[in-house]
Amino acid sequence: MNQVSINTEGIIFDLDGTLIDSMSAWENIGSDFLRKHGIVPPDDLNETIKIMSFAESARYFIEVYGIAMTEEQVGDEINGMIRDNYARHIELKPFVREVLNRYFNQGIKMGILTATHKSLTELILERFGLLDHFDFILTSGMTGLPKSQPEIYHRAVSQLNIPAQQITIFEDALYCIRAARATGCQLVGVYDEASKNDWDEIQKLSDLSIMSFKELL
């Protein structure tokens, strides 16, 4: 396994699939939600909603499937369905804690940019004693922007008050890496099983790529 050295003053981390091993928990949440409301989900539902923000997927369920709820109610119900996983079951990816502790002790400013609700993000980071490592948490719900849009990455970069050239972004999803490319930050592609079919393209678009956080130690 290669050792990867990152020279940076600030880091923006994705959460799900990057720092935590949670993509399997989300894999069928949309289908489970529709079934809960008596609707048989289509086979391609995951592909349809995977690049949507929470608000966009809630709007999609309401408009396409006639769910008689507000966007906020849909979001709250889905968060409630998955909350127990964040509170008890989902784990950090191997060596993430050690890497985050090292960067924190080196005084590197760090933030989280995620499509996951802020309450769930805080819940799992607090569970592992890592919440205080981060200068900010920015979510799609807070900005109204999906992570397929470069604008949300520009907003995250501005939170660090560091030139983009001195910031590194860690992502596991191809569509996120494409969007983050516009910032001018260094990009690190992180391997995740959920994105394995895109791994070759992720490696091409990233400045660095890692199979495991162990490579950063």
Side-chain angles (χ1 to χ4, degrees):
M1 185 174 285
N2 295 326
Q3 293 300 116
V4 177
S5 177
I6 292 178
N7 183 21
T8 192
E9 292 187 23
I11 302 175
I12 297 166
F13 288 100
D14 170 53
L15 182 69
D16 297 271
T18 297
L19 296 181
I20 62 174
D21 194 7
S22 59
M23 297 309 291
S24 60
W26 285 102
E27 190 175 12
N28 296 310
I29 196 74
S31 298
D32 291 344
F33 172 79
L34 289 180
R35 287 194 190 95
K36 192 175 174 185
H37 289 269
I39 297 163
V40 177
D43 292 339
D44 63 350
L45 181 66
N46 287 346
E47 284 301 307
T48 302
I49 66 174
K50 77 174 184 179
I51 67 168
M52 295 181 183
S53 68
F54 248 98
E56 285 176 325
S57 58
R59 200 174 310 129
Y60 175 78
F61 291 139
I62 292 165
E63 293 175 357
V64 175
Y65 295 100
I67 299 292
M69 299 167 73
T70 65
E71 290 177 22
E72 186 176 1
Q73 287 170 332
V74 172
D76 287 347
E77 183 169 316
I78 291 174
N79 281 328
M81 289 168 65
I82 205 162
R83 186 176 183 85
D84 187 57
N85 274 319
Y86 279 74
R88 298 169 57 190
H89 303 301
I90 292 169
E91 296 296 330
L92 294 173
K93 285 192 159 184
F95 302 100
V96 162
R97 187 196 302 274
E98 293 87 342
V99 168
L100 292 180
N101 284 340
R102 172 179 283 190
Y103 291 160
F104 182 66
N105 292 332
Q106 289 173 347
I108 294 172
K109 294 178 73 174
M110 297 186 288
I112 296 282
L113 177 61
T114 179
T116 297
H117 196 278
K118 189 179 182 187
S119 65
L120 294 178
T121 303
E122 290 175 338
L123 174 67
I124 197 158
L125 291 175
E126 182 69 44
R127 189 178 133 213
F128 290 112
L130 295 169
L131 186 58
D132 69 339
H133 286 36
F134 297 97
D135 289 76
F136 71 87
I137 294 170
L138 190 65
T139 73
S140 291
M142 293 162 67
T143 61
L145 294 164
K147 289 186 70 184
S148 56
Q149 297 297 318
E151 174 59 24
I152 196 170
Y153 288 91
H154 288 300
R155 292 199 194 182
V157 167
S158 69
Q159 296 257 349
L160 285 176
N161 293 314
I162 298 170
Q165 296 78 11
Q166 296 166 22
I167 294 173
T168 302
I169 298 175
F170 282 70
E171 280 284 1
D172 69 296
L174 179 58
Y175 73 93
C176 294
I177 288 168
R178 285 176 174 150
R181 190 81 268 175
T183 61
C185 297
Q186 179 176 233
L187 294 185
V188 177
V190 179
Y191 182 80
D192 189 76
E193 276 295 304
S195 302
K196 64 183 177 183
N197 293 338
D198 296 326
W199 184 237
D200 287 347
E201 190 66 21
I202 287 169
Q203 289 180 291
K204 287 176 191 171
L205 285 178
S206 302
D207 298 299
L208 297 165
S209 56
I210 59 170
M211 294 293 293
S212 164
F213 276 79
K214 187 176 184 180
E215 296 167 55
L216 301 171
L217 291 173

